[in-house]
Amino acid sequence: MVSHENASDLADMLFGDRRAVAQQYNKMFAAADFDQDWWAATQDPGKRAYERYLKLLPQLSATETVSDLRDLLTLHEQATVVDPHLGALLTVQVNLVLGTLLEQHSNTGEVAAALAALLEGRAVGAYVLTEVGHGSDLNNLETTAVFDPADGGGFILDTPTDTAIKFMPTTAPPPVDGVARFGVVFARLILEGTDRGTYPFLVWLADADGQVRPGITIRPLPEKPGLGMDNSLTRFDHVRLSRECLLSHTGTRIDENNQLISPMPADNQVWRAISRVRVGRLCISAMAAAVSRAALTIAARHATQRDIASMVGTRIPLAQVPAHCAPLLEAVADTYVATTAVELALDAFIEATDQQADEQAPQLTDLVSLTKYVATSTALRVCDEVRDRLGAQGVFAHNKIVVFRSLRDAAATAEGDSYVIALLAAYRRLSLPDEWTPGSWDNLEPGDIDTPDSWLGWLGARATYLQHRTLETYANATGDRQARWDSVYDLALAAAEAHTTHRAAQALAQRAGRLPAGPRKVVEDLLTLFAVRQYQAHGADMSPDGPILATPRSLRDMRGELHDRLAPHLLELVAAFELEAGSLRTAFDTETYTTQCANALSSVAR
């Protein structure tokens, strides 16, 4: 039995002010335009995503959504739950493309025309950044835009080498009739033979009739099973652009004397040029956490409808089988922590914006990067676990788990490979001070199932100790900077991940402290389960002189007792995600799956 009051309290704890916005989007996505007949295979989910996007666009206050980060993240989350293909499309159209155009210092001329076409659904955009030879190595992009003063001045866009071919952006003509395509293309601005850094340029790629513009060659990449996105290879050959096509939120332009005016600051210049990517990483982190929540909601519903033969000959629902529910409870614990990590990154980003701080500063960049790494890693584990727990039901597309997993895989790569950007964030943590003081952890109370503070203390001690070992090993390493980094990268990443999850667990505990006694105790048990599993998995990393938490009994016994205590609360823990049946639309909605199968056969007979 689900306690709706407890579920509501838990939802407030997880989402705060965003809860009301999520409910509004839930109602929007409950409309018939987002229905799915899951007995009929969708032949082209990518095309359907574009069709749904064009129907959704008039219902959105898109320009306001882009400027409201809480609204933007919530839109991405809810769209992903309904249709992962649509969620992936929105990250490009709303955040990257629309966000970039709205940031421009002057929205006139060609920029104004592209903005109007995008908002009216007459065109879609592409964010044309990564190259075959570079990927996340953005400082070394090779595509060039050479300023040519002839004919009133403009730029010549070229792909100078094979490694500069644009790889992955959705540049192909849209799979819907009557819609053009333009791109925000990143290239090195060359002025009078001097490289002035990477800037975005507005480039029309294909007309509304599907005709690719002269000088541009586009070839769709091979199919990506599970996620319909029109990723492509793109080459530019002497494509002429007007002066107005140079984009910059600082008002960068080339004046009548061919001088560069208001260039982006040289420090961290590439990141300033791709400012929407950092927001995109936050959106993708939220989408990955939403995938975990949606997958667990489906698994919990399935567990109440599917029964099995017990060892004594009776039938029992899977929801009452510890071997089935225990892995789901552990996935729920991971998901609560990942969800809170996203909320912390969101709050930090909004605080920086409100205080007019530098959004491009490495500290905020690294926080978002590590959040993305934790959220996408969690989604991988959760989707794999849920797929197994669903058995045969997990392999069908209409139950969404395989599609959620595909979205997670795409998310781990999009806006910077999660592993690579996390390593970079871990590398920058080498400049932090060593705060390890072994004696301060000697007085920790032994860890048992009713000592959540002890477990939180150990999570913090682990993060600090791993950072200490990283700094100590790096200081004693020999060779050049690359060789020294190669000797500690694994330690550094472990320390960074431990730091991120500890902060999230600590914040979750603080928020739980404001709940009534019943749900507060449930969250404390959930956090203790999370920490016990971390201890089991990573306790050996504390050898030989790290923080070891004394326990009065075996970790296995504590873990089992926590499973027993949390099992009656599985449904309300998942109900707190507030994913209505109208949003998920799987086989485990209002009617039982057995009833729906019988009805499907009856309709054939009729």
Side-chain angles (χ1 to χ4, degrees), residues 523-554:
V523 177
E524 288 175 349
D525 284 347
L526 199 67
L527 281 169
T528 302
L529 177 60
F530 175 81
V532 168
R533 288 176 56 239
Q534 293 289 307
Y535 196 88
Q536 282 186 295
H538 304 293
D541 295 342
M542 302 300 100
S543 177
D545 58 348
I548 303 298
L549 192 63
T551 58
R553 48 196 170 136
S554 75

Side-chain angles (χ1 to χ4, degrees), residues 219-372:
R219 178 167 183 171
L221 283 163
E223 179 186 3
K224 287 195 305 184
L227 194 63
M229 293 184 68
D230 42 359
N231 304 110
S232 302
L233 297 172
T234 311
R235 182 189 291 275
F236 303 103
D237 182 16
H238 213 68
V239 177
R240 188 167 187 87
L241 310 174
S242 73
R243 285 176 181 263
E244 293 178 337
C245 291
L246 171 60
L247 306 177
S248 166
H249 60 272
T250 61
T252 306
R253 60 187 176 86
I254 297 177
D255 69 7
E256 60 277 5
N257 297 316
N258 299 336
Q259 298 298 307
L260 189 65
I261 306 300
S262 300
M264 292 186 192
D267 66 304
N268 216 12
Q269 193 268 337
V270 172
W271 271 108
R272 296 181 189 279
I274 59 171
S275 58
R276 296 305 302 186
V277 168
R278 185 179 284 96
V279 177
R281 285 183 182 174
L282 195 52
C283 290
I284 282 178
S285 301
M287 292 165 69
V291 159
S292 296
R293 297 194 295 269
L296 285 165
T297 301
I298 294 166
R301 290 177 184 167
H302 166 264
T304 64
Q305 295 186 23
R306 179 79 163 88
D307 60 17
I308 62 171
S310 74
M311 297 296 184
V312 294
T314 58
R315 304 289 298 181
I316 54 174
L318 282 174
Q320 295 179 13
V321 178
H324 185 86
C325 286
L328 294 181
L329 286 166
E330 295 182 349
V332 169
D334 289 352
T335 298
Y336 267 63
V337 171
T339 295
T340 306
V342 171
E343 295 298 316
L344 288 178
L346 173 61
D347 289 344
F349 210 112
I350 291 173
E351 182 181 1
T353 303
D354 290 346
Q355 295 180 358
Q356 297 183 328
D358 186 1
E359 295 177 12
Q360 317 302 328
Q363 184 177 6
L364 192 57
T365 298
D366 294 345
L367 171 61
V368 174
S369 296
L370 290 170
T371 300
K372 179 174 184 273

Side-chain angles (χ1 to χ4, degrees), residues 73-96:
L73 257 69
T74 308
L75 169 64
H76 280 77
E77 288 174 334
Q78 299 305 112
T80 297
V81 169
V82 175
D83 182 349
H85 311 276
L86 175 62
L89 183 59
L90 284 173
T91 62
V92 178
Q93 302 306 317
V94 177
N95 174 56
L96 293 177

